[in-house]
Amino acid sequence: MISIWNFLLVIGITMYIAVMYKNPTILLLVYMEAAIFVVAAISLLFRRFRCKAQLEVPVGIAERGRESLVKLVVTNRGLFVINRMKALLVVKDYMRGKKKKYWMTLPVVPKGESEYIQMVAFYGTGNYEIILKKLRVYDITGLFPWDIPTRRKS
């Protein structure tokens, strides 16, 4: 969200300089910056609705210090490749009342279905629940994120 305000601030400063010096070339630069912002926002809106994710955790015994594999299946039904995406995994331990968050950074997500694997370490034996809390999809430039809320439990 901060990057959106920074981008708008740069557009505002450039507009102020263009008006102050009465320079049409700088004003054209302001129009191009605004056009990039609008195109990025529209593409992000389409990416948000065309991307789905599913969390798969193999059933096993959670032992202290052992790591477990978590598989995240991302389906990109959009027309273009998603260059930057993150997933928030939350591991809850109901016996101890602890919660730990893992940000899973995904590489390029091509069109279609892709599988990504993350190692999750359990900090003791207990009753665990792994939740895919949200997906964070970025636009074409990689500056503006949009969170897709999910409540996928595994």
Side-chain angles (χ1 to χ4, degrees):
M1 189 67 181
I2 294 173
S3 60
I4 294 173
W5 293 113
N6 287 341
F7 196 76
L8 291 175
L9 181 68
V10 167
I11 290 175
I13 290 171
T14 311
M15 174 75 116
Y16 176 74
I17 290 171
V19 170
M20 186 173 67
Y21 290 114
K22 298 177 184 172
N23 192 339
T25 309
I26 299 176
L27 193 59
L28 287 174
L29 178 66
V30 171
Y31 292 147
M32 289 303 296
E33 289 173 352
I36 288 172
F37 181 73
V38 169
V39 168
I42 290 172
S43 71
L44 186 60
L45 186 66
F46 284 118
R47 286 176 188 215
R48 183 206 188 284
F49 291 112
R50 302 300 292 176
C51 184
K52 303 289 180 199
Q54 179 180 353
L55 185 65
E56 296 177 6
V57 180
V59 177
I61 299 172
E63 296 178 12
R64 184 181 182 95
R66 297 233 11 219
E67 293 183 340
S68 178
L69 292 175
V70 175
K71 185 166 68 169
L72 183 66
V73 179
V74 179
T75 306
N76 180 12
R77 295 179 293 153
L79 298 175
F80 303 108
V81 173
I82 298 175
N83 293 327
R84 189 173 174 200
M85 178 185 268
K86 291 183 179 180
L88 178 63
L89 302 177
V90 177
V91 178
K92 289 184 179 181
D93 184 2
Y94 286 110
M95 290 182 74
R96 290 184 181 84
K98 293 183 181 178
K99 181 169 66 169
K100 189 163 182 171
K101 296 180 180 180
Y102 293 95
W103 274 104
M104 185 175 176
T105 303
L106 305 177
V108 176
V109 179
K111 186 177 177 183
E113 192 171 288
S114 304
E115 295 181 356
Y116 303 98
I117 295 175
Q118 173 79 24
M119 299 291 284
V120 176
F122 296 108
Y123 32 83
T125 56
N127 183 10
Y128 291 99
E129 180 181 34
I130 301 175
I131 302 171
L132 174 63
K133 188 84 171 192
K134 64 181 168 183
L135 288 174
R136 183 169 284 172
V137 181
Y138 291 84
D139 68 332
I140 300 168
T141 62
L143 295 174
F144 310 121
W146 189 319
D147 291 341
I148 303 171
T150 58
R151 288 289 295 172
R152 305 286 171 113
K153 297 181 182 179
S154 184

